[in-house]
Amino acid sequence: MTLQSDHADAAEPADTAARADVADAVMPADGAGRAGGGRAAATAGAGRVADAVCGADLADPVGAVCVAERVRDVVQGADPDAVWAFGGPGGVHGGTAGDGSALDVGGLVPVLALWPVIGSLVAENELRLHTPLAAYGVEAEAGVTTHHLLSHSTGPVAHAALTRLAEHLTGSPLAELAATRIWHPLGMTGTRFADGTLRAPLADLGRFLVHLVSPVDHPVSRAWITESLRIRTGELTPSRGLLWHPSRHGTWSYGEAPAVWVSPRLHRWAILLPTHPPGPLRQTFRDAAFAPTPSP
């Protein structure tokens, strides 16, 4: 049996690095886990990295600057106005400066709102992944479970079913659940549903992704992150976790335009908000941010 997916990473085999141990080293925060410091990090000391080889170790400031310069060059060549950032548990290591304004990230609602809310319900034992939705009083096809919707289904139909489930179990709308359970505890005070979409400043997106690669266990539990970022589809293709898709260089991804990547083993994350359909930029951006050697 083969699962069909229109996800850009679906046609790519999961890189063996996704299953390998990688050095757990990251660069300490430069005093602020905010995207506004990214431009300075990307340019400071740039002259020292002219002959440097970008490695996986962001603990070396020169290496971190090297990666930032590599990503910046890729974005500048394809979509100069795109918004991007990358970093680790300590904060942002490079990216566009940004002005603090809320960006349209409607395409990331499933990963920023729905997935962590579902995880919080699982952590509270209010929801079991393999229990049919019908057992909770939610209308669904016979036998369909939360696990099935997160790992085998894509698109708005599956997301709508999961939203109904979360709202039915709690009696609250998804926007309120995400704000009270996830965004506010993480300090994402600028993130909200408005004008028919989800809007968030780049700094808030960074806070969310920093949390996913940090050792902190709340509000999104380490167990939920770990369970989500492993193959949950057995021998079926394409391989998937819970909502997340395995990608190259040991990363897991979600979204097309915009898109996010996380790599707990590399202790690194990245986000790309292009100004037009990204095409090849999506892959070259990912390679620049996570590959241990310079992109061709």
Side-chain angles (χ1 to χ4, degrees):
M1 178 180 179
T2 299
L3 294 172
Q4 299 299 319
S5 174
D6 58 0
H7 193 273
D9 290 322
E12 302 177 2
D15 195 289
T16 54
R19 305 173 188 273
D21 290 331
V22 181
D24 296 336
V26 295
M27 186 179 83
D30 61 0
R34 65 186 191 281
R39 179 62 60 84
T43 56
R48 295 181 296 157
V49 302
D51 300 318
V53 175
C54 298
D57 187 359
L58 294 186
D60 176 11
V62 175
V65 172
C66 179
V67 174
E69 286 291 295
R70 187 170 72 186
V71 176
R72 181 188 61 78
D73 289 344
V74 165
V75 176
Q76 285 295 312
D79 188 355
D81 295 322
V83 175
W84 63 276
F86 86 97
V92 178
H93 296 309
T96 49
D99 58 5
S101 61
L103 307 166
D104 184 345
V105 292
L108 297 178
V109 167
V111 76
L112 292 175
L114 186 55
W115 170 73
V117 165
I118 292 293
S120 71
L121 294 173
V122 172
E124 295 170 0
N125 294 317
E126 296 294 326
L127 174 63
R128 296 184 180 275
L129 292 180
H130 296 284
T131 298
L133 268 63
Y136 294 107
V138 176
E139 184 178 351
E141 293 185 18
V144 171
T145 67
T146 302
H147 184 278
H148 180 270
L149 293 176
L150 286 171
S151 63
H152 291 66
S153 301
T154 60
V157 174
H159 299 156
L162 290 169
T163 298
R164 289 196 302 272
L165 174 63
E167 294 180 343
H168 176 77
L169 290 175
T170 62
S172 300
L174 179 63
E176 179 181 330
L177 293 171
T180 58
R181 289 171 176 254
I182 311 299
W183 301 338
H184 291 173
L186 288 177
M188 299 168 60
T189 57
T191 302
R192 59 179 57 85
F193 285 95
D195 303 322
T197 189
L198 178 63
R199 296 188 177 277
L202 186 59
D204 276 12
L205 301 176
R207 291 184 180 97
F208 181 81
L209 294 169
V210 163
H211 176 63
L212 298 191
V213 297
S214 77
V216 181
D217 198 43
H218 179 80
V220 186
S221 74
R222 306 315 308 166
W224 179 243
I225 296 169
T226 300
E227 286 299 296
S228 298
L229 302 185
R230 70 179 181 86
I231 302 300
R232 304 300 296 253
T233 47
E235 298 301 317
L236 299 177
T237 57
S239 300
R240 292 186 188 140
L242 296 178
L243 187 82
W244 294 84
H245 299 250
S247 186
R248 289 178 61 82
H249 313 303
T251 65
W252 290 78
S253 71
Y254 184 83
E256 305 297 331
V260 295
W261 293 264
V262 295
S263 177
R265 289 179 176 85
L266 284 174
H267 288 205
R268 196 180 302 186
W269 56 265
I271 183 167
L272 173 66
L273 309 178
T275 60
H276 52 72
L281 173 60
R282 188 179 184 282
Q283 283 71 45
T284 55
F285 174 87
R286 176 205 58 206
D287 292 347
F290 294 95
T293 56
S295 301

